[in-house]
Amino acid sequence: MRKMWKALSLLLVVALAAVVFAGCNNSGGKVSVGIVLPTKDEPRWVQDEKRFKDALKGTKYSTEILFSQGSSAKEKENVQTLINKGIKVLIICPQDGAAAASAVEAAKKEGITVISYDRLITNTDAVDYYVTFDSVAVGAAQAQYLVDHAKGSGEPLYLYAGAASDNNAFLFFQGAWKVLQPKIADGTFKIANSSEAVALQDKADLSRDELSKIIGQVTTNWDPNEAKNKAQTHLTAAGADMKGDVAILAPNDGTARSIADVFGSDSAVTSFVVTGQDAEKASIQYIIDGKQSMTVFKDVRTLVKDAMGMAINILDDKKPETTGSYNNGKVDVKAKQTDVIVVDKDNVKKELIDSGYYKADDFTGIQ
């Protein structure tokens, strides 16, 4: 009898330990928000990791952040790991927008709300929300700066674009064209370097195919060297009437610096206004030095706050605020568009130094 009790007691202890262990494991493994980022090899995503953790501080929710290291297969594995942890919300910046579709479909089947972060996941209805910078607004801001700083009429306008393979390049150019076209039509600007743009200069709204024709002529492929070569080719071919005071639409900071160097070394170019995007350190120094006119600052700190704010709303059973939508090839995905900030010499200290984004001693000559 005693042996039997001993055996039963032992079984009871083992069973109880198993229950306690399972309970610990479960509560320890329960995660409210799962986050998948593209790679740990770029400072941007490592900074985002910390910002996401900070954004959840002071709430009752927990997060786990995994990195895909440039692999869509690893990304899918990461999503499955987070599904197994019982997440309610998935925030994912896809390595490849199309390849990520199957990963988020697996999450959707489990009733998880999917937020596409910074890059849009395409060709699936398994994306609930998209948190992004407004790419059309970026292009419009660049163009508006050129319009606001135009000198007289008939000013030569040099157009450059990002990579034709990048959907964002189309959105940037679309936003810019909408603002520039009326000023081309009224004679403020004359297009200097694209016969396709000249042929379409009377059209305010361009189709994807028409945008593609212009971008095909003026693409930099986001490559500073390609931008430099194109700018040299264009200036070599330009007559005196296409020099003097000029306006230059450059798509981002890397290409802007290369293009600025080329135009700055041509004695027949009296002055130039050149746009940029991303607020890269090297370009901020160029702006301080008067070599680049402006940049569009996309504060990723705000993007993180918007994404995590949306996740907390979902967890609190509140409806997240959205400001627009993007078609991903399958559905219109409701989006929260984060504001962008135009930075030039006048406000560079306020927006980038005083806000804590950069340190003053990163630069020389800052006022």
Side-chain angles (χ1 to χ4, degrees), residues 120-193:
L120 185 58
I121 297 167
T122 55
N123 297 316
T124 177
D125 58 7
V127 184
D128 296 287
Y129 298 101
Y130 179 32
V131 176
T132 180
F133 291 107
D134 186 344
S135 298
V136 174
V138 170
Q142 291 173 329
Q144 192 59 52
Y145 197 90
L146 296 179
V147 170
D148 292 344
H149 293 81
K151 293 182 170 76
S153 64
E155 184 173 332
L157 171 65
Y158 288 81
L159 300 169
Y160 296 95
S165 59
D166 181 356
N167 187 55
N168 275 354
F170 281 79
L171 297 174
F172 297 141
F173 200 88
Q174 178 191 330
W177 183 262
K178 192 93 174 153
V179 174
L180 291 172
Q181 190 274 333
K183 292 296 175 182
I184 295 164
D186 75 7
T188 302
F189 295 120
K190 53 184 177 181
I191 298 163
N193 66 330

Side-chain angles (χ1 to χ4, degrees), residues 305-319:
K305 277 183 201 156
D306 283 350
M308 201 51 104
M310 189 177 264
I312 290 166
N313 276 336
I314 293 159
L315 292 165
D316 289 343
D317 293 322
K318 292 177 187 164
K319 195 175 168 62

Side-chain angles (χ1 to χ4, degrees), residues 283-301:
S283 275
I284 299 310
Q285 190 62 61
Y286 261 50
I287 287 169
I288 294 163
D289 296 341
K291 294 180 188 173
Q292 184 175 324
S293 312
M294 62 83 84
T295 187
V296 179
F297 173 40
K298 301 184 296 187
D299 192 341
V300 290
R301 295 172 300 183

Side-chain angles (χ1 to χ4, degrees), residues 15 48 69 98 104 163 229 251 269 290 311 326 335 337 352 356 361:
D48 274 16
Q69 291 309 102
V104 296
N229 293 338
V269 174
Y326 288 79
Q337 294 157 315
L352 294 173
D361 57 16

